[in-house]
Amino acid sequence: SSPTVGELFKAKAVTDEQVNAAVEAYLADPETNAHPIADGYSLDLAAAVAGHGWASSVVANPESSPGLKRAAVRTAILLARAQKA
C-alpha cells in the first residue's frame, strides 16, 4: 500500500517545506485534488482533509483560528496516503 505523507516525511522523502506548501495549497483552494507532494508522489488534498473527521470539522468551523485550521490540515495531510504520480 502507499506510504502516508508522515512516513515519507520520517524517511526524509518529504520536507517540512513540501508539507507546508501542501497546507497552503489546500487553504488557498480547498478543492485541490492532485498536489505534487514529493518526488514521484502526489496527494489529493481535498480528500485528505475530507477523510479526516477532526480536520474537516475544524476547517468548516468559521470560528476556528487560522493557526488551528493550518494545524488540522497539516495533520490530515501527514496521515493521508500519497499516490505514486
Side-chain angles (χ1 to χ4, degrees):
S1 71
S2 305
T4 65
V5 175
E7 288 164 350
L8 290 171
F9 183 76
K10 275 190 201 135
K12 301 199 181 333
V14 174
T15 65
D16 208 35
E17 290 75 27
Q18 287 168 313
V19 174
N20 290 340
V23 170
E24 295 308 322
Y26 175 84
L27 293 172
D29 178 12
E31 302 297 310
T32 304
N33 48 30
H35 178 80
I37 187 83
D39 210 20
Y41 287 97
S42 72
L43 185 63
D44 183 336
L45 300 180
V49 175
H52 191 282
W54 177 69
S56 53
S57 65
V58 166
V59 170
N61 183 346
E63 293 178 21
S64 296
S65 70
L68 182 60
K69 286 183 181 181
R70 223 173 228 95
V73 171
R74 183 180 175 89
T75 298
I77 287 170
L78 287 170
L79 292 172
R81 299 223 170 258
Q83 301 305 310
K84 280 261 187 218

Coordinates of all heavy atoms in Angstrom, one line a residue:
S1 N 0.8 -1.2 0.0 CA 0.0 0.0 0.0 C 0.9 1.2 0.0 O 2.1 1.2 0.4 CB -0.9 0.0 1.2 OG -0.2 0.2 2.4
S2 N 0.3 2.3 -0.4 CA 1.0 3.6 -0.4 C 1.4 4.1 0.9 O 0.7 3.9 1.9 CB 0.2 4.7 -1.1 OG -0.3 4.2 -2.3
P3 N 2.6 4.7 1.0 CA 3.0 5.3 2.3 C 2.2 6.5 2.7 O 1.7 7.2 1.8 CB 4.5 5.6 2.1 CG 4.6 5.9 0.6 CD 3.6 5.0 0.0
T4 N 2.1 6.8 4.0 CA 1.5 8.1 4.3 C 2.5 9.2 4.1 O 3.7 8.9 4.1 CB 1.0 8.1 5.8 OG1 2.2 8.0 6.6 CG2 0.1 6.9 6.1
V5 N 2.0 10.4 4.0 CA 2.9 11.5 3.9 C 3.8 11.6 5.1 O 5.0 11.9 5.0 CB 2.1 12.9 3.7 CG1 3.1 14.1 3.7 CG2 1.3 12.8 2.4
G6 N 3.3 11.3 6.3 CA 4.1 11.2 7.5 C 5.2 10.2 7.4 O 6.3 10.5 7.9
E7 N 5.0 9.1 6.9 CA 6.0 8.1 6.7 C 7.1 8.6 5.7 O 8.3 8.4 5.9 CB 5.4 6.7 6.2 CG 4.6 6.0 7.2 CD 3.7 4.9 6.7 OE1 3.5 4.8 5.5 OE2 3.2 4.2 7.5
L8 N 6.6 9.2 4.6 CA 7.6 9.8 3.7 C 8.4 10.9 4.4 O 9.6 11.1 4.1 CB 6.9 10.4 2.5 CG 6.2 9.4 1.5 CD1 5.3 10.1 0.5 CD2 7.3 8.5 0.8
F9 N 7.8 11.7 5.2 CA 8.4 12.7 6.0 C 9.5 12.2 6.9 O 10.6 12.6 6.9 CB 7.4 13.5 6.8 CG 7.9 14.7 7.5 CD1 8.2 15.9 6.9 CD2 8.1 14.7 8.9 CE1 8.7 17.0 7.6 CE2 8.6 15.7 9.6 CZ 8.9 16.9 8.9
K10 N 9.2 11.1 7.6 CA 10.1 10.4 8.5 C 11.3 9.9 7.7 O 12.4 9.9 8.2 CB 9.5 9.3 9.3 CG 8.8 9.7 10.5 CD 8.3 8.6 11.4 CE 7.2 9.0 12.3 NZ 6.1 8.0 12.4
A11 N 11.0 9.4 6.5 CA 12.1 8.8 5.7 C 12.9 9.9 4.9 O 13.7 9.6 4.1 CB 11.5 7.9 4.7
K12 N 12.5 11.2 5.2 CA 13.1 12.3 4.6 C 12.9 12.4 3.1 O 13.7 13.1 2.4 CB 14.6 12.4 5.0 CG 14.9 12.5 6.5 CD 16.2 13.0 6.8 CE 16.6 13.0 8.2 NZ 15.6 13.2 9.2
A13 N 11.8 11.8 2.6 CA 11.5 11.9 1.2 C 10.6 13.1 1.0 O 10.4 13.5 -0.1 CB 10.7 10.6 0.8
V14 N 10.0 13.6 2.1 CA 9.2 14.8 2.0 C 9.8 15.8 3.0 O 10.0 15.4 4.2 CB 7.7 14.5 2.4 CG1 6.9 15.8 2.5 CG2 7.1 13.6 1.3
T15 N 9.9 17.0 2.6 CA 10.5 18.1 3.6 C 9.4 18.8 4.3 O 8.2 18.8 3.8 CB 11.3 19.1 2.8 OG1 10.5 19.8 1.9 CG2 12.5 18.4 2.0
D16 N 9.7 19.5 5.3 CA 8.8 20.3 6.0 C 8.2 21.4 5.1 O 7.0 21.7 5.1 CB 9.5 21.0 7.2 CG 8.6 21.3 8.3 OD1 7.7 20.6 8.6 OD2 8.8 22.4 9.0
E17 N 9.1 21.9 4.2 CA 8.6 23.0 3.2 C 7.6 22.4 2.3 O 6.6 23.1 2.0 CB 9.8 23.5 2.4 CG 10.8 24.3 3.2 CD 11.7 23.5 4.1 OE1 12.0 22.3 3.9 OE2 12.1 24.1 5.1
Q18 N 7.7 21.1 1.9 CA 6.8 20.5 1.0 C 5.4 20.3 1.7 O 4.4 20.5 1.1 CB 7.3 19.2 0.4 CG 8.4 19.4 -0.6 CD 9.1 18.1 -0.9 OE1 9.5 17.3 -0.1 NE2 9.3 17.8 -2.2
V19 N 5.5 19.9 3.0 CA 4.2 19.7 3.7 C 3.6 21.1 3.9 O 2.4 21.2 3.7 CB 4.5 19.1 5.1 CG1 3.2 19.0 5.9 CG2 5.1 17.7 4.9
N20 N 4.3 22.1 4.3 CA 3.8 23.5 4.4 C 3.2 24.0 3.1 O 2.1 24.6 3.1 CB 4.9 24.4 4.9 CG 5.3 24.1 6.4 OD1 4.5 23.5 7.1 ND2 6.4 24.6 6.7
A21 N 3.8 23.7 2.0 CA 3.3 24.1 0.7 C 2.0 23.4 0.4 O 1.1 24.1 -0.1 CB 4.3 23.8 -0.4
A22 N 1.9 22.2 0.8 CA 0.6 21.4 0.6 C -0.5 22.1 1.5 O -1.7 22.2 1.0 CB 0.8 20.0 0.9
V23 N -0.2 22.4 2.7 CA -1.1 23.0 3.6 C -1.6 24.4 3.0 O -2.8 24.6 2.9 CB -0.5 23.3 5.0 CG1 -1.4 24.2 5.9 CG2 -0.2 22.0 5.7
E24 N -0.7 25.2 2.5 CA -1.0 26.5 1.9 C -1.9 26.3 0.6 O -2.8 27.0 0.4 CB 0.2 27.3 1.6 CG 1.0 27.7 2.8 CD 0.2 28.4 3.9 OE1 -0.7 29.2 3.5 OE2 0.5 28.2 5.1
A25 N -1.5 25.3 -0.2 CA -2.3 25.0 -1.4 C -3.7 24.6 -1.0 O -4.7 25.1 -1.7 CB -1.6 23.9 -2.2
Y26 N -3.9 23.8 0.0 CA -5.3 23.5 0.4 C -6.0 24.7 0.9 O -7.2 24.9 0.6 CB -5.3 22.4 1.5 CG -6.7 22.1 2.0 CD1 -7.5 21.2 1.3 CD2 -7.2 22.8 3.1 CE1 -8.8 21.0 1.7 CE2 -8.5 22.6 3.5 CZ -9.3 21.7 2.8 OH -10.6 21.5 3.2
L27 N -5.4 25.5 1.8 CA -6.0 26.7 2.3 C -6.4 27.7 1.2 O -7.4 28.4 1.3 CB -5.2 27.3 3.4 CG -5.0 26.4 4.7 CD1 -4.0 27.1 5.6 CD2 -6.4 26.2 5.4
A28 N -5.6 27.8 0.2 CA -5.8 28.7 -0.9 C -7.0 28.2 -1.8 O -7.8 28.9 -2.3 CB -4.6 28.9 -1.7
D29 N -7.1 26.8 -1.9 CA -8.1 26.2 -2.8 C -8.5 24.8 -2.2 O -7.8 23.9 -2.5 CB -7.6 26.1 -4.2 CG -8.7 25.4 -5.1 OD1 -9.8 25.3 -4.6 OD2 -8.3 25.1 -6.2
P30 N -9.5 24.8 -1.3 CA -9.9 23.5 -0.7 C -10.3 22.4 -1.7 O -10.5 21.3 -1.3 CB -11.0 23.9 0.2 CG -10.9 25.4 0.5 CD -10.3 25.9 -0.8
E31 N -10.5 22.8 -3.0 CA -10.9 21.8 -4.0 C -9.7 21.1 -4.6 O -9.8 20.2 -5.4 CB -11.7 22.4 -5.1 CG -13.0 23.1 -4.6 CD -14.0 22.2 -3.9 OE1 -14.3 21.1 -4.6 OE2 -14.4 22.4 -2.8
T32 N -8.5 21.5 -4.2 CA -7.2 20.9 -4.8 C -7.2 19.4 -4.7 O -7.3 18.9 -3.5 CB -6.0 21.5 -4.1 OG1 -6.0 22.9 -4.2 CG2 -4.7 21.0 -4.8
N33 N -7.1 18.7 -5.8 CA -7.0 17.2 -5.6 C -5.7 16.7 -6.0 O -5.1 15.9 -5.2 CB -8.2 16.5 -6.4 CG -8.3 17.0 -7.8 OD1 -7.4 17.5 -8.4 ND2 -9.5 17.0 -8.3
A34 N -5.0 17.0 -7.1 CA -3.7 16.4 -7.4 C -2.6 17.4 -7.1 O -2.3 18.3 -7.9 CB -3.7 16.0 -8.8
H35 N -2.0 17.3 -5.9 CA -0.9 18.2 -5.5 C 0.4 17.4 -5.4 O 0.4 16.4 -4.6 CB -1.3 18.9 -4.1 CG -0.2 19.8 -3.6 ND1 0.0 21.0 -4.1 CD2 0.8 19.6 -2.8 CE1 1.0 21.6 -3.5 NE2 1.6 20.7 -2.7
P36 N 1.4 17.8 -6.1 CA 2.7 17.0 -6.0 C 3.3 17.3 -4.6 O 3.5 18.4 -4.3 CB 3.5 17.6 -7.1 CG 2.9 18.9 -7.5 CD 1.5 18.9 -7.1
I37 N 3.5 16.2 -3.9 CA 4.0 16.3 -2.5 C 5.5 16.0 -2.4 O 6.2 16.6 -1.6 CB 3.1 15.5 -1.5 CG1 3.5 15.8 -0.1 CG2 3.2 14.0 -1.8 CD1 2.9 17.0 0.5
A38 N 5.9 15.1 -3.2 CA 7.3 14.7 -3.2 C 7.7 14.1 -4.5 O 6.8 13.9 -5.3 CB 7.6 13.7 -2.1
D39 N 9.0 13.8 -4.7 CA 9.4 13.2 -5.9 C 8.6 11.9 -6.2 O 8.8 11.0 -5.5 CB 10.9 12.9 -5.8 CG 11.6 13.0 -7.2 OD1 11.0 13.7 -8.1 OD2 12.7 12.5 -7.3
G40 N 7.8 12.0 -7.3 CA 7.1 10.8 -7.6 C 5.8 10.5 -6.9 O 5.2 9.5 -7.1
Y41 N 5.4 11.4 -6.0 CA 4.2 11.3 -5.3 C 3.3 12.5 -5.4 O 3.8 13.6 -5.4 CB 4.5 11.0 -3.8 CG 5.0 9.7 -3.5 CD1 6.4 9.5 -3.3 CD2 4.2 8.6 -3.3 CE1 6.9 8.3 -3.0 CE2 4.7 7.3 -3.0 CZ 6.1 7.2 -2.9 OH 6.6 5.9 -2.6
S42 N 2.0 12.2 -5.4 CA 1.0 13.4 -5.3 C 0.0 13.0 -4.2 O -0.1 11.9 -3.8 CB 0.4 13.6 -6.7 OG -0.5 12.6 -7.0
L43 N -0.8 14.0 -3.9 CA -1.8 13.8 -2.8 C -3.1 14.6 -3.2 O -3.0 15.7 -3.7 CB -1.2 14.4 -1.5 CG -2.0 14.2 -0.3 CD1 -2.2 12.8 0.1 CD2 -1.4 15.0 0.9
D44 N -4.2 13.9 -3.0 CA -5.5 14.6 -3.2 C -5.8 15.3 -1.9 O -6.2 14.7 -0.9 CB -6.6 13.5 -3.5 CG -7.9 14.1 -3.7 OD1 -8.2 15.2 -3.3 OD2 -8.7 13.4 -4.4
L45 N -5.5 16.6 -1.9 CA -5.6 17.4 -0.7 C -7.1 17.5 -0.2 O -7.3 17.4 1.0 CB -5.1 18.8 -0.9 CG -3.6 18.9 -1.3 CD1 -3.2 20.4 -1.5 CD2 -2.7 18.3 -0.2
A46 N -8.0 17.7 -1.1 CA -9.4 17.7 -0.7 C -9.9 16.5 0.0 O -10.5 16.5 1.0 CB -10.3 18.0 -1.9
A47 N -9.5 15.3 -0.6 CA -9.9 14.0 0.0 C -9.1 13.8 1.3 O -9.7 13.2 2.3 CB -9.5 12.9 -0.9
A48 N -7.9 14.2 1.4 CA -7.1 14.1 2.7 C -7.8 14.7 3.9 O -8.0 14.2 4.9 CB -5.7 14.6 2.5
V49 N -8.3 16.0 3.6 CA -9.0 16.7 4.7 C -10.4 16.2 4.9 O -10.8 16.0 6.1 CB -8.9 18.2 4.4 CG1 -9.8 19.0 5.5 CG2 -7.5 18.8 4.4
A50 N -11.1 15.9 3.8 CA -12.4 15.4 3.9 C -12.5 14.0 4.7 O -13.4 13.7 5.4 CB -13.1 15.2 2.6
G51 N -11.4 13.2 4.5 CA -11.3 11.9 5.1 C -10.9 11.9 6.6 O -10.8 10.9 7.2
H52 N -10.6 13.1 7.1 CA -10.1 13.2 8.5 C -11.1 14.0 9.2 O -11.3 15.2 9.0 CB -8.7 13.9 8.5 CG -8.1 13.9 9.8 ND1 -8.4 14.8 10.8 CD2 -7.0 13.2 10.3 CE1 -7.6 14.5 11.9 NE2 -6.8 13.5 11.5
G53 N -11.9 13.4 10.1 CA -13.1 14.0 10.7 C -12.8 15.3 11.5 O -13.4 16.3 11.3
W54 N -11.7 15.2 12.3 CA -11.4 16.4 13.1 C -11.0 17.6 12.2 O -11.4 18.7 12.3 CB -10.2 16.1 14.1 CG -9.8 17.3 14.8 CD1 -10.5 18.0 15.8 CD2 -8.6 18.0 14.7 NE1 -9.8 19.0 16.3 CE2 -8.6 19.1 15.7 CE3 -7.4 17.8 13.9 CZ2 -7.5 20.0 15.8 CZ3 -6.4 18.7 14.1 CH2 -6.4 19.8 15.0
A55 N -10.1 17.3 11.2 CA -9.6 18.4 10.3 C -10.8 19.0 9.5 O -10.9 20.2 9.4 CB -8.6 17.8 9.3
S56 N -11.7 18.1 9.0 CA -12.8 18.7 8.2 C -13.7 19.5 9.1 O -14.2 20.6 8.6 CB -13.5 17.6 7.4 OG -13.9 16.6 8.2
S57 N -13.9 19.1 10.3 CA -14.8 20.0 11.2 C -14.2 21.3 11.6 O -14.8 22.3 11.6 CB -15.3 19.2 12.4 OG -14.3 18.8 13.2
V58 N -12.8 21.2 11.8 CA -12.1 22.5 12.2 C -12.1 23.4 11.0 O -12.4 24.6 11.1 CB -10.6 22.2 12.6 CG1 -9.8 23.4 12.6 CG2 -10.6 21.5 13.9
V59 N -11.9 22.9 9.8 CA -11.8 23.8 8.6 C -13.2 24.4 8.3 O -13.3 25.5 7.9 CB -11.3 23.0 7.4 CG1 -11.5 23.8 6.1 CG2 -9.8 22.7 7.6
A60 N -14.3 23.6 8.6 CA -15.6 24.0 8.3 C -16.2 25.0 9.3 O -17.1 25.8 9.1 CB -16.6 22.8 8.2
N61 N -15.5 25.1 10.5 CA -16.0 26.0 11.6 C -15.4 27.4 11.3 O -14.2 27.6 11.4 CB -15.5 25.4 12.9 CG -16.0 26.3 14.1 OD1 -16.5 27.4 13.9 ND2 -15.8 25.7 15.3
P62 N -16.3 28.4 11.1 CA -15.9 29.7 10.9 C -15.2 30.4 12.1 O -14.5 31.4 11.9 CB -17.2 30.5 10.5 CG -18.3 29.6 11.0 CD -17.8 28.2 11.0
E63 N -15.4 29.8 13.3 CA -14.7 30.3 14.5 C -13.3 29.8 14.7 O -12.6 30.3 15.6 CB -15.6 30.1 15.7 CG -16.9 30.9 15.6 CD -17.8 30.6 16.8 OE1 -17.3 30.2 17.8 OE2 -19.0 30.9 16.7
S64 N -12.9 28.8 13.9 CA -11.6 28.2 14.0 C -10.5 29.3 13.6 O -10.7 29.9 12.6 CB -11.4 27.0 13.2 OG -12.2 26.0 13.6
S65 N -9.5 29.4 14.4 CA -8.4 30.4 14.1 C -7.6 29.9 12.9 O -7.6 28.7 12.6 CB -7.5 30.5 15.3 OG -6.7 29.4 15.5
P66 N -7.0 30.8 12.2 CA -6.1 30.4 11.0 C -5.1 29.4 11.5 O -4.8 28.4 10.7 CB -5.5 31.7 10.5 CG -6.5 32.7 11.0 CD -7.1 32.2 12.3
G67 N -4.5 29.6 12.6 CA -3.5 28.6 13.1 C -4.0 27.2 13.4 O -3.3 26.2 13.1
L68 N -5.2 27.2 13.9 CA -5.8 25.9 14.2 C -6.2 25.2 12.9 O -5.9 24.0 12.7 CB -7.1 26.0 15.1 CG -7.8 24.7 15.4 CD1 -6.9 23.8 16.2 CD2 -9.1 25.0 16.2
K69 N -6.7 25.9 11.9 CA -7.0 25.4 10.6 C -5.7 24.8 10.0 O -5.7 23.7 9.4 CB -7.6 26.4 9.7 CG -9.1 26.7 10.1 CD -9.7 27.7 9.1 CE -11.1 28.0 9.5 NZ -11.8 28.9 8.7
R70 N -4.7 25.6 10.0 CA -3.4 25.1 9.5 C -2.9 23.8 10.1 O -2.5 22.9 9.4 CB -2.3 26.2 9.7 CG -1.5 26.5 8.6 CD -0.6 27.7 8.8 NE -0.7 28.5 7.6 CZ -1.5 29.6 7.5 NH1 -2.3 30.0 8.5 NH2 -1.6 30.2 6.4
A71 N -3.0 23.8 11.4 CA -2.6 22.5 12.2 C -3.4 21.3 11.8 O -2.9 20.2 11.6 CB -2.6 22.8 13.7
A72 N -4.8 21.6 11.7 CA -5.7 20.5 11.3 C -5.4 20.0 9.9 O -5.4 18.8 9.7 CB -7.1 21.0 11.4
V73 N -5.2 20.9 9.0 CA -4.9 20.5 7.6 C -3.6 19.7 7.5 O -3.4 18.7 6.9 CB -4.9 21.7 6.6 CG1 -4.4 21.3 5.3 CG2 -6.3 22.3 6.6
R74 N -2.6 20.2 8.3 CA -1.3 19.6 8.3 C -1.4 18.2 8.8 O -0.8 17.2 8.3 CB -0.3 20.4 9.2 CG 1.1 19.8 9.2 CD 2.1 20.7 10.1 NE 3.4 20.1 10.2 CZ 4.4 20.3 9.3 NH1 4.2 21.1 8.3 NH2 5.5 19.7 9.5
T75 N -2.2 18.0 9.9 CA -2.4 16.6 10.5 C -3.0 15.7 9.5 O -2.6 14.6 9.3 CB -3.3 16.7 11.8 OG1 -2.6 17.5 12.7 CG2 -3.5 15.4 12.3
A76 N -4.1 16.2 8.8 CA -4.7 15.4 7.8 C -3.8 15.0 6.6 O -3.8 13.9 6.2 CB -6.0 16.1 7.2
I77 N -3.0 16.0 6.2 CA -2.0 15.7 5.1 C -1.0 14.6 5.6 O -0.7 13.7 4.8 CB -1.3 17.0 4.7 CG1 -2.4 17.8 3.9 CG2 -0.1 16.7 3.8 CD1 -1.9 19.2 3.6
L78 N -0.4 14.8 6.8 CA 0.6 13.8 7.3 C 0.0 12.4 7.4 O 0.7 11.4 7.2 CB 1.2 14.3 8.6 CG 2.1 15.5 8.5 CD1 2.4 16.0 9.9 CD2 3.4 15.1 7.7
L79 N -1.3 12.3 7.7 CA -1.9 11.0 7.9 C -2.4 10.4 6.5 O -2.8 9.2 6.5 CB -3.1 11.1 8.9 CG -2.6 11.3 10.3 CD1 -3.8 11.6 11.2 CD2 -1.8 10.2 10.9
A80 N -2.5 11.2 5.5 CA -3.0 10.8 4.2 C -2.0 9.9 3.5 O -0.8 10.1 3.6 CB -3.4 12.0 3.4
R81 N -2.5 9.0 2.6 CA -1.7 8.2 1.8 C -1.3 8.9 0.5 O -2.2 9.3 -0.2 CB -2.3 6.8 1.5 CG -2.6 6.0 2.8 CD -2.3 4.6 2.6 NE -2.4 3.9 3.9 CZ -1.3 3.6 4.7 NH1 -0.1 3.9 4.2 NH2 -1.4 3.1 5.9
A82 N 0.0 9.0 0.2 CA 0.4 9.6 -1.0 C 0.2 8.6 -2.2 O 0.3 7.4 -2.0 CB 1.9 10.0 -0.9
Q83 N -0.1 9.2 -3.3 CA -0.3 8.3 -4.5 C 1.0 8.4 -5.4 O 1.5 9.5 -5.5 CB -1.5 8.8 -5.3 CG -2.8 8.7 -4.6 CD -3.1 7.4 -4.0 OE1 -3.0 6.4 -4.7 NE2 -3.4 7.4 -2.7
K84 N 1.4 7.3 -6.0 CA 2.5 7.3 -6.9 C 2.1 8.2 -8.1 O 1.0 7.9 -8.7 CB 2.9 5.9 -7.4 CG 3.7 5.2 -6.4 CD 5.2 5.3 -6.8 CE 6.0 4.4 -5.9 NZ 7.3 5.1 -5.7
A85 N 2.9 9.2 -8.4 CA 2.5 10.1 -9.5 C 2.8 9.4 -10.9 O 3.7 8.6 -11.0 CB 3.2 11.4 -9.4

